[in-house]
Amino acid sequence: SAPLTQEVNIRATQWAFTPNEVHVKVGRPVVLKVTSEDVDHGLEFSDLAVPTERIPAGRTVTIRFIPPTPGTYHFHCAVVCGTGHDKMTGTLVVEPP
């Protein structure tokens, strides 16, 4: 049977991702639906091979990937969005099956 897709909605606002900690299972498809609620934001993983996405103001972007190995991965806003931009981070926790 096909692995169950793990879908997570994330809100991007100045200067936070909500939720900023996401838990998923290794080897199962992940769909992140990231909505910017104010200005342009981006989502970039520093240590996971997932393409960086720009999230235009007021829009939702869908990011799909399959996490290959368990661990803790970090993401951050890839578009300078104001004075708190450097604090706009999050964590993806990939758990064993």
Side-chain angles (χ1 to χ4, degrees):
S1 63
L4 296 172
T5 299
Q6 308 169 94
E7 188 170 304
V8 180
N9 294 307
I10 299 176
R11 290 174 31 241
T13 55
Q14 289 177 302
W15 293 274
F17 291 107
T18 307
N20 67 359
E21 184 171 297
V22 175
H23 290 256
V24 297
K25 296 286 188 191
V26 69
R28 286 177 44 196
V30 173
V31 176
L32 300 180
K33 293 193 171 187
V34 188
T35 302
S36 172
E37 298 197 347
D38 45 25
V39 299
D40 287 8
H41 292 288
L43 194 142
E44 180 175 34
F45 282 93
S46 47
D47 43 12
L48 193 61
V50 174
T52 299
E53 291 285 349
R54 185 178 188 95
I55 303 113
R59 304 287 301 273
T60 299
V61 171
T62 301
I63 302 168
R64 300 172 192 273
F65 61 97
I66 298 174
T69 50
T72 300
Y73 302 93
H74 302 281
F75 58 88
H76 57 271
C77 183
V79 175
V80 176
C81 59
T83 55
H85 166 74
D86 58 336
K87 296 178 186 67
M88 191 168 170
T89 61
T91 304
L92 177 79
V93 179
V94 180
E95 299 170 340

